Amino acid sequence: MLFAEVGQSLIDFISKLDPLKNIIAYPIMKFTLIHPVSGKLRYIRFIALFVAMAYISGCARIGKKEYQEGKTVYGNKAMVVSAHPEATRVGIEVLEKGGNAVDAMVAVHFALAVVYPAAGNLGGGGFMMYRQPSGEVVSLDFREKAPMAAYEEMYQDENGDIIDGLSLAGPMASGVPGSVDGMLTAHAKYGSLPLKTLLQPAYKLARGGFPITAKQANNYNRYRKTFIEHNRDSTVIPLVKLDGEWEEGELLVQKDLAATIKRIQKSGRDGFYKGKTAELLVAEMKAGNGIIELEDMAKYQAKWREPVTGKYRGATIYSMGPPSSGGIALMQLLKMSEHFSMGDLGFHSPETIHLMTEMERRVYADRAKHLGDADFWDVPKEELLDDRYITSRVKQINPTKATDSEEVLAMKLDYQESEETTHYSIVDANGHAVSVTTTINSGYGSKVFVSGAGFLMNNEMDDFSSKPGVPNVYGLLGGKANAIQPEKRMLSAMTPTIVEKDGKLKMVVGTPGGSTIITSVYQVVLNVLDHEMNMTDAVSAGRVHHQWKPNFIFPERDALDPTTKKALEKMGHQIKDRGSIGRVDAILVGADGQLEGAGDPRGDDWAAGF
Ligand code: GLY
């Protein structure tokens, strides 16, 4: 009797293991422990029991996680922080198995394409910053490109007016995707584990499904109408549930996406840029007047770029250069900040917010005029970061009075589109660090799923300046520098950043947030270097944004107290509260070498480390 009771407890224990392991262990345990046997079978029973026990203890050991996970995690060796717990787990498990930071990056990127379709992607693009323990930092540009048939006025009607929404939703909104080539290019140079192994967790998550979070359930239900409006066949949209509403914890299964990942596992780059996937993608585009051709796909190539680098208060900053505006804008902000003692002025004091606003106003004005894809436009990088120029800009700032931004143009104050995009930060056990920001632009990109291939296409064409003086979805202005041209990359604000101090890795940081990306990264760097916050506080702290035009300080609701707001208004600033800004996923290396991973409390963001 006792034997049977112990047996039952053991069986209960096995039932908590992976289902596959149960298939083997469960019948053996049942046979050995519960069924009454006699004679010689008793000896066989003991041998079988021994085998089963050994098997279970093996399973238990394999199933045991070495890592910690949560919103804030400390680790001595390795850390992953991403927008979704499932993707974070995929990454940390690659690192546990001995993979390096680039291996983990590839695994996380593909996993995010499955578990975080709002911004994780195969149909988008992004930027990677990678620091090796030697201190060498490289950056990879896998930003989308304008298709070869694109032209400057493609979003204007015969009167030269912008056709509402054309660059934002539907097949016309998409650029040629760069993510898959970016991941494979980085892996070919720096990866250590086979590509097939690294894509397997994403494949499994797509094929077998994963439980969606409460935020995801709400989001998919909210977007249901939009998805149906923009897709040919509403019955095959993975995020549209045909029989009712999504609920937290329900499994999201994406079989077509699994098949696409399998094709990439099998054929590498050609599994996406040629053959069935490319054909499905081009067919989807053509069905809605899109202009991406098979030749655009075959020609896409990620590019290694020179990182933007500079000093701030004894730290060295590395960030992304054009076609991102992020690196240059961040460095301009930090170089101007060095003229002040931001720490002494106090976190979120009226003086600090005033100065930040005045600096941001000037930097975003430069961005609109001077920044674009450097392959097509002569970006005056040296001039923009020149000390004399920075000093002259600082001298224009009145310490107690707001400057008036020029006349505000047609603006979008309400940010109806969510500023999706997603960032992940990784440090491996040998000190390699990866900072990647990737996007399909606004939430769920163009809203168009490639039928039969299961992934969403980007609406990155909206990041071009469709017409000088007309703001994009983030209210950003642009001119000739960022005008549409065939094969040009649209200007980005993505700012994946690595900070080094005393020759050692100090911080890995980045965020989504459209135009607010640059100012969010800027604030997190200040929070750590000037306001001496730990990573968790630096990430959680309220954020404030200004982008020259429209001429408003946008604080997150409750980020500024009423007295500070009053003081700022007295200086001549206009203030408009808004919803949350950015979702920073970052890692800080402490003086003792300990890693602190922080996932932004604004989302499902999650850290894991050991
Ligand atoms: N699509 C947002 C950015 O690249 O800045």
Side-chain angles (χ1 to χ4, degrees), residues 395-415:
K395 279 195 181 141
Q396 295 165 359
I397 297 174
N398 180 328
T400 54
K401 196 167 178 300
T403 321
D404 203 2
S405 285
E406 285 166 70
E407 194 188 335
V408 176
L409 298 161
M411 55 187 146
K412 290 194 165 64
L413 293 178
D414 289 332
Y415 295 94

Side-chain angles (χ1 to χ4, degrees), residues 350-370:
E351 294 77 13
T352 308
I353 300 293
H354 168 69
L355 286 175
M356 285 165 62
T357 300
E358 291 304 313
M359 292 187 256
E360 288 164 2
R361 197 194 301 282
R362 286 160 178 82
V363 166
Y364 276 78
D366 279 342
R367 181 194 190 274
K369 185 163 170 62
H370 295 297

Side-chain angles (χ1 to χ4, degrees), residues 18-32:
D18 183 308
L20 243 177
K21 287 158 195 158
N22 278 331
I23 292 171
I24 303 169
Y26 192 86
I28 301 177
M29 292 298 287
K30 207 147 183 153
F31 166 71
T32 54

Side-chain angles (χ1 to χ4, degrees), residues 12 59 69 112 242 381 438:
D12 289 347
C59 287
E69 56 179 307
L112 281 170
L242 296 172
K381 180 179 153 194
T438 180

Side-chain angles (χ1 to χ4, degrees), residues 201-388:
Y203 171 77
K204 277 170 72 177
L205 285 163
R207 185 91 182 89
F210 70 96
I212 59 172
T213 66
K215 282 193 172 69
Q216 288 183 301
N218 287 338
N219 225 250
Y220 301 162
N221 291 334
R222 199 156 57 81
Y223 272 90
R224 180 193 170 92
K225 237 178 93 194
T226 314
F227 288 139
I228 291 173
E229 185 189 333
H230 290 291
N231 283 274
R232 287 186 285 168
D233 181 357
S234 60
T235 61
V236 297
I237 307 170
L239 304 188
V240 170
K241 199 175 155 193
L242 296 172
D243 52 348
E245 300 250 290
W246 286 102
E247 276 175 30
E248 178 183 5
E250 269 188 88
L251 276 193
L252 173 61
V253 176
Q254 300 169 86
K255 289 204 172 128
D256 288 341
L257 179 56
T260 299
I261 296 171
K262 179 107 304 185
R263 286 193 287 277
I264 301 168
Q265 283 182 304
K266 223 171 123 204
S267 312
R269 197 196 126 84
D270 288 355
F272 187 82
Y273 291 94
K274 289 185 177 167
K276 184 164 177 183
T277 314
E279 281 157 19
L280 288 168
L281 188 153
V282 170
E284 189 65 53
M285 297 296 97
K286 292 207 162 157
N289 296 326
I291 54 172
I292 298 179
E293 299 281 351
L294 284 172
E295 203 190 337
D296 286 305
M297 292 295 284
K299 272 183 89 172
Y300 185 88
Q301 209 81 63
K303 284 193 167 182
W304 296 101
R305 305 270 188 196
E306 190 75 23
V308 172
T309 178
K311 296 266 181 212
Y312 178 65
R313 287 175 36 86
T316 309
I317 316 292
Y318 296 93
S319 196
M320 193 68 212
S324 177
S325 58
I328 290 179
L330 176 66
M331 264 334 297
Q332 283 193 306
L333 287 169
L334 291 172
K335 282 176 95 140
M336 286 192 206
S337 301
E338 209 151 34
H339 286 257
F340 306 95
S341 184
M342 303 299 280
D344 293 342
L345 290 172
F347 175 71
H348 281 190
S349 68
E351 294 77 13
T352 308
I353 300 293
H354 168 69
L355 286 175
M356 285 165 62
T357 300
E358 291 304 313
M359 292 187 256
E360 288 164 2
R361 197 194 301 282
R362 286 160 178 82
V363 166
Y364 276 78
D366 279 342
R367 181 194 190 274
K369 185 163 170 62
H370 295 297
L371 298 188
D373 182 352
D375 289 347
F376 288 76
W377 182 258
D378 198 7
V379 176
K381 180 179 153 194
E382 271 79 44
E383 289 85 340
L384 289 169
L385 295 175
D386 181 83
D387 287 338
R388 277 168 309 178

